[in-house]
Structure formats: C-alpha cells, structure tokens
Amino acid sequence: MFTGADLKDWVIIVVGNLFIVVLVVRMFSHYAKREWGELLTNFLVAVFIAWIVYSTDTFIEFLKWAANKVTGGEAQAAGQLLDGAHGAVLAAADSAPQTLALLSAGLI
C-alpha cells in the first residue's frame, strides 16, 4: 500500500539540500564582502535546516520537549487528571445503577 511517506522524505531531502546550497552560496558572497554578521546568520540557518532534514526524529523530540517546557507539562497533567476523573465516574456508575442511567442519558 502506497502511503507517500517515502515520497515526502525524498521531497524534504531535495528541497532541504537546495536550501542549504543557496545558503552556502550566500555565505561565500558574504565572506567575500567581509559581512561577518550575515555570514554567521546564514551558517546558523544552514545548520538548523540540516538538523531538520537529516535528523528529523531528534528535531521532533526537541519540539516536544520545548513545548512541554513552555506549557510546564500542563497538557500531560491535565490528561492524567481527566483519566482519573473518568475512572471515578465509571466506578460510581458500577456501584449505583441510577448513576449509570444518568451517565448514559448525558446528564452527568
């Protein structure tokens, strides 16, 4: 079954490589003009794009780590809280048939 994952990976690699080549050409131009700030900026962008293209898994893990740090782990804690509340409602429904009726009617 064709999922397109191989094609997507191929396109990302080709476009990423072209972007890196353009940045390297610009780096030579900035070096020739002695524009050190632009040279450093293009180098850092090329390294960042290379990280995305050649090590996608570690980049995605970094994004997940950064999002967890920004949100303070609130999303994971909220998910665990909801799981606990859902378990408590189901336990109450098992012990009292009227709770199950209210739950299935959508009132709880």
Side-chain angles (χ1 to χ4, degrees), residues 73-87:
E74 294 171 3
Q76 185 178 11
Q80 290 173 350
L81 182 64
L82 288 176
D83 288 341
H86 185 262

Side-chain angles (χ1 to χ4, degrees), residues 12 21 32 51 58 70 76 80 90 95 97 101:
I12 288 173
V21 167
W51 181 32
T58 59
V70 168
Q76 185 178 11
Q80 290 173 350
L90 289 179
S95 64

Side-chain angles (χ1 to χ4, degrees), residues 86 89-90 92-94 96-108:
H86 185 262
V89 169
L90 289 179
D94 288 341
Q98 66 273 15
T99 306
L100 182 59
L102 290 173
L103 185 63
S104 62
L107 297 174
I108 294 180

Side-chain angles (χ1 to χ4, degrees), residues 5 17-18 26 52 56 61 71 73 77 89 98:
N17 285 337
L18 288 175
R26 289 182 54 152
I52 294 171
T56 307
E61 288 300 318
T71 61
V89 169
Q98 66 273 15

Side-chain angles (χ1 to χ4, degrees), residues 7 11 20 26 31 33 46 48 58 60 74 86 89 105 107:
L7 179 63
V11 169
I20 290 170
R26 289 182 54 152
Y31 176 76
K33 295 178 190 176
F48 185 72
T58 59
I60 290 172
E74 294 171 3
H86 185 262
V89 169
L107 297 174

